[in-house]
Amino acid sequence: MSSMIRDSPLLGAEAPPPHKPCDVSRSMKGRAPVRADLSGSDLQVWSQPRLRTRPGPERPEEGSGMERVLRRCRIQNQLIRECLAECLGVFVLILFGCGSAAQVTTSEERSGQYLSINLGFALGVTFGVFVSRGVSGAHLNPAVSLSLCVLGRHPWMKLPFYVFFQLLGAFLAAATVGLQYYDAIRSYAGGQLTVTGPRATAGIFSTYPADYLSLWGGVVDQVIGTAALLLCLLALGDQRNGSIPDGLQPVLVGSLVLVIGVSMGSNCGYALNPARDLGPRLFTYIAGWGVDVFKAGGGWWWVPIVGPCAGALLGTLIYQLMVEVHHPPLPSECQASCEEASESKMELEAEPHLKSQC
Amino acid sequence: MSSMIRDSPLLGAEAPPPHKPCDVSRSMKGRAPVRADLSGSDLQVWSQPRLRTRPGPERPEEGSGMERVLRRCRIQNQLIRECLAECLGVFVLILFGCGSAAQVTTSEERSGQYLSINLGFALGVTFGVFVSRGVSGAHLNPAVSLSLCVLGRHPWMKLPFYVFFQLLGAFLAAATVGLQYYDAIRSYAGGQLTVTGPRATAGIFSTYPADYLSLWGGVVDQVIGTAALLLCLLALGDQRNGSIPDGLQPVLVGSLVLVIGVSMGSNCGYALNPARDLGPRLFTYIAGWGVDVFKAGGGWWWVPIVGPCAGALLGTLIYQLMVEVHHPPLPSECQASCEEASESKMELEAEPHLKSQC
Amino acid sequence: MSSMIRDSPLLGAEAPPPHKPCDVSRSMKGRAPVRADLSGSDLQVWSQPRLRTRPGPERPEEGSGMERVLRRCRIQNQLIRECLAECLGVFVLILFGCGSAAQVTTSEERSGQYLSINLGFALGVTFGVFVSRGVSGAHLNPAVSLSLCVLGRHPWMKLPFYVFFQLLGAFLAAATVGLQYYDAIRSYAGGQLTVTGPRATAGIFSTYPADYLSLWGGVVDQVIGTAALLLCLLALGDQRNGSIPDGLQPVLVGSLVLVIGVSMGSNCGYALNPARDLGPRLFTYIAGWGVDVFKAGGGWWWVPIVGPCAGALLGTLIYQLMVEVHHPPLPSECQASCEEASESKMELEAEPHLKSQC
Amino acid sequence: MSSMIRDSPLLGAEAPPPHKPCDVSRSMKGRAPVRADLSGSDLQVWSQPRLRTRPGPERPEEGSGMERVLRRCRIQNQLIRECLAECLGVFVLILFGCGSAAQVTTSEERSGQYLSINLGFALGVTFGVFVSRGVSGAHLNPAVSLSLCVLGRHPWMKLPFYVFFQLLGAFLAAATVGLQYYDAIRSYAGGQLTVTGPRATAGIFSTYPADYLSLWGGVVDQVIGTAALLLCLLALGDQRNGSIPDGLQPVLVGSLVLVIGVSMGSNCGYALNPARDLGPRLFTYIAGWGVDVFKAGGGWWWVPIVGPCAGALLGTLIYQLMVEVHHPPLPSECQASCEEASESKMELEAEPHLKSQC
C-alpha cells in the first residue's frame, strides 16, 4: 500500500494513481477529502463530486455535456501534462501582469498607477499558481526550476521542458495582450512602436533599466531581487518552519511578488524571471518593435536572464545555511525499515475506516 | 444512506434534507461541523447554534424574537430559494460595484480613484458570493451559468430563471445606487443626465467603450477578459488541481475580478457579465438618461452581452483542454457497485461515532 | 455532559466552564484544539500552552512574571468582562480609523489619500474584532447589538451596557488620537479648531455631510449603507449558507467595511455606527471645537445615530426574508430527546479517544 | 511520553526532538501532519516529504543535490539557530521595508506613493515572520522580546542575544538596500548624501520627525503606536480569545503593521521597533551620511528606541488588564496529576493509530 502512495504523482490532488482497477479503499483516498473540502463551498456546482449530491430530478447523468466529448482528448503522459500546466500558468501570469502595464501606460495613469502594475503581476502569479499547482507544482519561472534541481527536489531531465513551455506561455500571453490592447497601443503610440522615448510602448511587455542604472547595477538589482524571492519561497515551502493552510500558499506567493514590486521595482522593473522577460521580448521583436528591444539599455536583454538564475541560487543558499539545514533530522532520514513502518501507519491515518479491518 | 446524501441539495450547507423525520445520525451530519466551525468564532452570537451554548440565565428561548415571526414566511421550493439568492447576490455585487463608480465620478476622484472602482467590484463579487453560495452556488453571472450548463454541471432548465433573477438583482441595485447618489449625481451633472461628454454619468451604471476602441476591438476585449475569468474560476473549483479552504473561495473570486479590472479595464470597463451591464443600462434608460444608453459607442450595448458568453465558453474550453480533462479518472467513473460501496463508507467517515455500530 | 457544554459561555474560546473542579475529559476539550492551533504557530511563544512545551532549562515556571501579579485583578463577572472587551474593541477601531483620517488631513494627502482612510477603518474593525470576539462576540456597534436583540440572538438586558461601553471606547480613542496628533492638528489648523472651512479638523473625528447632501439624502445614505453592512454580516454568520474558517471572519468583516467605504463614503463619511460617530463628536465638543459640532450640516449629528439603527433593521429583514428563513429546519428544531441524544454523541466526536471507553 | 513532548523545543514545527533514536511512534508525530498539509499544496515539490511521493523513475535519492552537501554545516545549538532566524527575519523585514522607501523617494513618487511604503513594511513583516516563526517565534523587535520576557513567556537570558541579532539583521539589510539603490540614490541626491533638505535620503533608512513635531510629541507618538501594536499582537496570540488558522497569523501581523502605518505614520514614521530604526541609522552613519543622522531632529535618534519599549509594556498591560487576565483558568492550572493524565491523553489524540495499542 505504501509503495502505491509513493508511486502516485498525484497524491497532492487527492486522486488515485492511473491505470489501476478501481478498488474501494483507493476510491476512499480519492473521495473523502474532496467531500470534506466541498462542504459549503461556494463553487460547489463547478466540481463534479458536488454535483453528484444534487437531487435526482435535476441531476445530469455522469459526464454529460461538453466534458464527455472532451474526455476523448485525454493525455496520460505525466510530463506533457506538467508542461501544459506550466505553459498555462505562465500564460495567466503574463496576461494579467503585462495587461496591467498596458492599461497604466495606454491610459496615461488615468486607469491605474504603478501600484496597479504591482497588483497585476502579484495576482497574476497567484492565479498562475492556482491554474498549475496540482499538476506541475507551479514553478512558473526557470530560475525557480533551476534552484529546485540544484537542491535535488526536481529532476534535471525535466528542466529543459519546463523552461521551454514557460517561455512559450509567456510569448503567447504577450501576443494576447498585444491583441487586446491593439487599438489602445496604436492610439497611444500614434501608430509607431518605439522602445525608447516619450511614447515608448515596449516597456509594456518586457523590462528596461532606468536611465541612471549601470549594467552592473542592474545585475546586482536582479540578483538581490531574485535572492529575496527564493529565500521567502523556500520559507513558505519549509514544513519544519511552520505549515500553511492549503490554498493560502498561492496568495502568499502573490503577496511576495507584490512586496518585491513595491520595494525593488523602480530600478529595472523586477523581472526576476527569465521566461517572463524573454518571452514577451521575443514577441515585441517579431511584432514590430524590431531589434531595438535587444539593443536598448546597452544590450540590457541578457541581464533579466542571467541575474535571476544567479540570484535564485544565492537566495537558496542563504535560506539553507541560515535556517533549513539546521532543522533537526526528519524521520525520513531513518533507515528504510522504520520508514516502511511509518508509511504503512500513514495509510491507517488516511483511512480510519480501514483501521478496524487491519 | 448513500442515496439520502445524494438527494440532499444542501449537503454543502451541512444541513439534513428537508421533510424527513429527524433522526440522530442525520442530526449528527448537520450539527458536528457547525460546532467545529464555531469554536472561537467572532461572529458566534450571530449564528443560532452558538447561541444555544450560552449560560441558562441569558439564553433566549429557541427562535424567540423576529426570527420566530419570519419563519412563517418560509419557502421550501428549492428553485425559488436559488433564484432569490442569485438575485440578492447580484444586488450586493452591483450595489458595491456601481456605488464605487458613483463615488469616484461624483467626487471627481477626491474620494477614490480607478483602483477604488476595481476594489468595489472585486469585494462586491466576494460578498455577493458569500450571500448566495450556500443556496444557489453563487453564479452571479449569466455567462458563468451558461458555461456550467454546457459543461453539464448545471441543469439547462434552471438557466432562464437564474438569468432573469440575476438581471433583476442588477436592475434593483442600480436603482438603489441611483437613490443613494441622487443628490451627488444631480450636483455633479448640473441637473442634466448625459451619456457622453465631460459631465457624463451613465458610465456610473453600465460600461461604454473608450474613444479609440473599435466595436470589433471591444468584442475581442470582452472575449479575452471573460475567457480569463472562466479559466481561473474553473481552476479554483477543480478539486483535482488542489483544494481551497472553505470560505477562502469567495475572497479568491473577488481577487480574480480585481486583477481583471486592474489589467483589462481601460478599454471598455470589464463588464464580463451580461446581467451586470444590461440590468443597470435598463435602469439608466428608464431613469432619465434615455435612449442614448443604447445608441452610444455605435450601438455598444450588445457587446457586453455577446462577448462574455463567447468568452466564457472559450475559457472553459481552454482550461478543459489544457488541464482538467487530463486528470486521471475519479473513482466516480468506476462501476456503480464500487461507487455504492465507497458511498456507504463515506458515511462512516462522516460519522466516526457510528463506525463501531456498523 | 451536554448540559455542561450548553452552559459554557466560553465554548468558542475552547476553555472549560469556570467554577468547576477540573476533570480530565473536560481538560481535553480545552486543550486538544489549542495544541492543534499552535503547531507551527509563529506567535507560539505568546500563548501559555505553547510555552509549556519548551525544554526544561529555559522553561519559566507557570505564570511567572507580570501575569502572575496581574492574575490577582481577575474579574469573574461575565457581563463586566464583555463590556470591557467591547470597550477595548471599539477603542482599537476608532484609534486606527480616526488616526488614518488625522494622518491624511494633517499631512494634506502627502501621507495617504482617501483609500488610506478606508483601510484605516477596515483594519480597525478587523483588529477591534480580534481583540473582543472571544469574550463579547465583537459587536462594536450599537446598531449591530440592536439587530441581534431584535433577532432574539442577544439578550435585551445587555443592550444598554454594550452601547454605553461602545460609546466610552470611541470617546477614549478619539481622545488618544487627539493627543497623538496634537502638534499635527495645531500646526495644520493654525492654532484654531474649526468644524467647517478650508482648515476644518472636526472631520477627523466624526462625520459631516457633503455640501450637496440634503438631510433626507443623508438619512437615505446611512440607511442603505447600514442595511448593506448587516445584510452581509448576517450572511457571514449564517452557518447554513456555508461556513468560514475560524480567524478569517474578522478579516472579512474588515473587508466589508472597506468596500462600504470605497462605495458609500463620499456623501457623508459612512459612519454606519452611532458609537463611532457620537463618541468622537462628544470629544470634539469638549476638546475645543465647541457646539458647532452639533450645529454643523443643519444639525446633522442625529443622522448617523438614527439612520444606522433603521438601516440595520432593514438589512436584517432583507437577509432574513430572502435567504435565512428559507433554510430547511436545523435538527435543533427537533424534540429535545433527539437533541439530547445528538448532543451526547457530539461529545464523542469531540473526544474520539473516549469513544472506545463508551 | 508526555515529558518527551514537553521537552521538544520544536513541537510547533512538528518534528521529533533531536538526539534520540528514531522510533515509529515518534516519526508519526513528525510525519502525519506534514502529509496532511501537503495534500494539494502548490509548493509541494519544494518540500522533501512530498518528493518522496513521486514516481520511482523521476524520484531523486534522499538528500541528493545541494542539500546533501549543506547538511554538513548543520548547527544543533537551539539558541544559535534562534539567533540566525531572528537575524534573517529582521533582514527580510528591513530589506522590503526600506527598499520601498528607497523606491518611492528615488523615483519621486512615480513608482509608488506613501501607501507603497506602508505595504513594503507590512509585507516585510509578514515574510520576516514566515522566515523565522518556526525556529525563534519571530519576535523581530526588541520591544516585543522585552514584553514577552516581562510577561514571563520568554527567558530573560535570551533577550540580549535576540536584540543583538535583530540589530545585526537590520544593519545588513540597510546595507543591501544601499547597494541595490546605489545608482538611484546617487542620481537622486546629486552625489551628496544629506539628512535634511529637499534631496535628503537618510529618511530612506531610519525615521526622522516632521518639522512640527516636538520631542515630547514624538515620544507620545511612539508610545501610543507601539502600545497599539502589542495590544493587538497579544490578542492575535491569545488562544482563549479565539484561535487563528496556522499560516494566517503572519499575514495578520503584517496587516497590523499596515494599519499602524496608515494611521500613525505621518508624525515620525512609525518605527515602533528599536532594531528597525537603530540598525539602519548606524549604517547611514558609517556609509556617508555622517553624524547628522544622530543630531537631526534635535537628537531624535533615541526616541524610536525608548518610546517603543515603554509603549510595548503599556500595551501589554492594557490588554492583560482589560481582557486576558479575566479569562477563566485553563486546565493547565489544575493539579499536576490531572495535567499528567490529560497530557498522556493528548498523545492518543495526536496519534489515533496508537489508540488501539494502548
Side-chain angles (χ1 to χ4, degrees), chain A residues 10 13 22 32 37 39-42 46 52-54 58 66-67 74-75 103 131 133-134 180-181 183 246 353, chain B residues 6 8 12 14 133 137 148 150 153 158 214 240-243 245 249 263 265 267 325-326 328-329 334 349:
Chain A
L10 266 165
C22 169
D37 293 328
S39 59
S41 160
D42 56 301
W46 300 337
R52 273 179 291 84
T53 69
R54 292 234 159 236
E58 58 181 68
M66 199 183 189
E67 281 185 306
R74 186 154 150 248
I75 296 169
Q103 173 160 319
V131 159
R133 61 177 176 153
Q180 185 170 24
Y181 281 92
D183 294 343
D246 184 20
H353 64 279
Chain B
R6 178 183 287 112
S8 162
E14 295 300 351
R133 62 178 176 153
L148 295 177
V150 170
R153 298 182 188 179
K158 281 187 176 183
S214 64
R240 288 172 290 180
N241 199 355
S243 64
Q249 268 166 327
S263 62
N267 281 339
V325 296
H326 308 312
C334 305
E349 297 202 329

Side-chain angles (χ1 to χ4, degrees), chain B residues 155-169:
Chain B
W156 283 99
M157 63 74 68
K158 281 187 176 183
L159 186 56
F161 298 95
Y162 268 55
V163 172
F164 174 77
F165 278 90
Q166 286 159 354
L167 255 172
L168 181 63

Side-chain angles (χ1 to χ4, degrees), chain C residues 27 96 102 119 127 131 142 148 158 208 285 329 337 339-340:
Chain C
S27 66
F96 289 139
L119 281 171
F127 289 102
V131 160
L148 295 176
K158 280 187 176 184
Y208 296 91
Y285 173 64
S337 71
E339 174 153 66
E340 222 37 43

Side-chain angles (χ1 to χ4, degrees), chain C residues 8-337:
Chain C
S8 161
L10 268 165
L11 189 64
E14 294 300 349
H19 324 318
K20 297 213 177 164
C22 171
D23 79 33
V24 171
S25 67
R26 211 182 308 105
S27 66
M28 282 302 85
K29 256 200 315 307
R31 308 277 307 287
V34 174
R35 292 250 181 204
D37 294 329
L38 282 167
S39 57
S41 160
D42 57 299
L43 302 174
Q44 48 208 195
V45 295
W46 300 337
S47 62
Q48 263 180 318
R50 176 71 182 80
L51 239 210
R52 272 180 292 85
T53 69
R54 291 227 162 246
E58 59 180 68
R59 174 186 162 220
E61 55 284 359
E62 285 298 341
S64 69
M66 201 184 188
E67 283 185 304
R68 193 187 199 164
V69 185
L70 293 175
R71 203 163 296 136
R72 298 232 178 71
C73 323
R74 184 151 151 253
I75 296 168
Q76 300 199 347
N77 179 299
Q78 173 70 1
L79 180 55
I80 297 176
R81 293 180 51 225
E82 293 181 8
C83 290
L84 287 175
E86 280 294 306
C87 183
L88 189 59
V90 176
F91 180 86
V92 168
L93 154 54
I94 301 300
L95 181 66
F96 289 139
C98 291
S100 59
Q103 173 160 321
V104 172
T105 306
T106 59
S107 74
E108 302 180 45
E109 303 221 342
R110 277 191 309 276
S111 303
Q113 299 169 300
Y114 195 81
L115 186 58
S116 326
I117 300 179
N118 299 145
L119 281 171
F121 276 103
L123 288 167
V125 167
T126 295
F127 289 102
V129 171
F130 272 120
V131 160
S132 56
R133 62 177 176 152
V135 179
S136 69
H139 298 189
L140 309 185
N141 183 345
V144 170
S145 301
L146 175 66
S147 296
L148 295 176
C149 291
V150 170
L151 274 175
R153 298 184 187 177
H154 193 61
W156 283 99
M157 63 75 67
K158 280 187 176 184
L159 187 56
F161 298 96
Y162 268 54
V163 172
F164 174 78
F165 279 90
Q166 287 159 353
L167 256 172
L168 181 63
F171 181 90
L172 295 174
T176 311
V177 172
L179 173 65
Q180 185 169 22
Y181 281 92
Y182 180 78
D183 294 342
I185 291 173
R186 217 184 38 189
S187 94
Y188 171 82
Q192 51 167 262
L193 307 175
T194 57
V195 176
T196 52
R199 291 280 164 179
T201 46
I204 289 172
F205 298 95
S206 46
T207 66
Y208 296 91
D211 304 336
Y212 60 71
L213 196 72
S214 65
L215 258 193
W216 179 239
V219 173
V220 170
D221 175 275
Q222 286 298 294
V223 169
I224 294 177
T226 318
L229 176 70
L230 263 286
L231 193 157
C232 295
L233 278 183
L234 289 173
L236 291 179
D238 179 359
Q239 293 295 330
R240 286 171 293 180
N241 199 355
S243 63
I244 293 169
D246 182 21
L248 194 59
Q249 269 166 326
V251 180
L252 293 172
V253 177
S255 318
L256 179 54
V257 173
L258 175 61
V259 71
I260 291 177
V262 149
S263 63
M264 305 177 177
S266 56
N267 281 339
C268 53
Y270 70 115
L272 315 177
N273 181 337
R276 171 262 176 280
D277 197 68
L278 185 57
R281 196 180 298 275
L282 288 171
F283 166 74
T284 49
Y285 173 64
I286 292 168
W289 282 264
V291 74
D292 284 0
V293 300
F294 290 103
K295 289 204 194 121
W300 166 261
W301 70 274
W302 61 268
V303 178
I305 296 174
V306 176
C309 295
L313 297 180
L314 176 64
T316 306
L317 192 65
I318 293 174
Y319 185 72
Q320 288 289 321
L321 284 180
M322 290 195 68
V323 177
E324 193 152 13
V325 296
H326 308 312
H327 290 312
L330 263 191
S332 65
E333 285 144 19
C334 305
Q335 64 284 8
S337 71

Side-chain angles (χ1 to χ4, degrees), chain A residues 6 8 12 14 133 137 148 150 153 158 221 240-243 245 249 263 265 267 325-326 328-329 334 346 349, chain D residues 10 13 22 32 37 39-42 46 52-54 58 66-67 74-75 103 131 133-134 180-181 246 353:
Chain A
R6 178 184 285 111
S8 161
E14 296 300 349
R133 61 177 176 153
L148 295 176
V150 170
R153 297 183 188 178
K158 281 187 176 183
D221 176 276
R240 288 173 289 181
N241 199 354
S243 63
Q249 268 166 325
S263 63
N267 281 340
V325 297
H326 308 312
C334 306
M346 294 284 317
E349 297 202 330
Chain D
L10 267 166
C22 170
D37 293 329
S39 59
S41 160
D42 56 301
W46 301 337
R52 273 180 291 83
T53 70
R54 292 228 160 242
E58 59 181 68
M66 199 185 189
E67 281 184 305
R74 187 154 147 247
I75 297 169
Q103 174 160 320
V131 159
R133 62 176 177 154
Q180 185 169 23
Y181 281 92
D246 183 19
H353 63 280

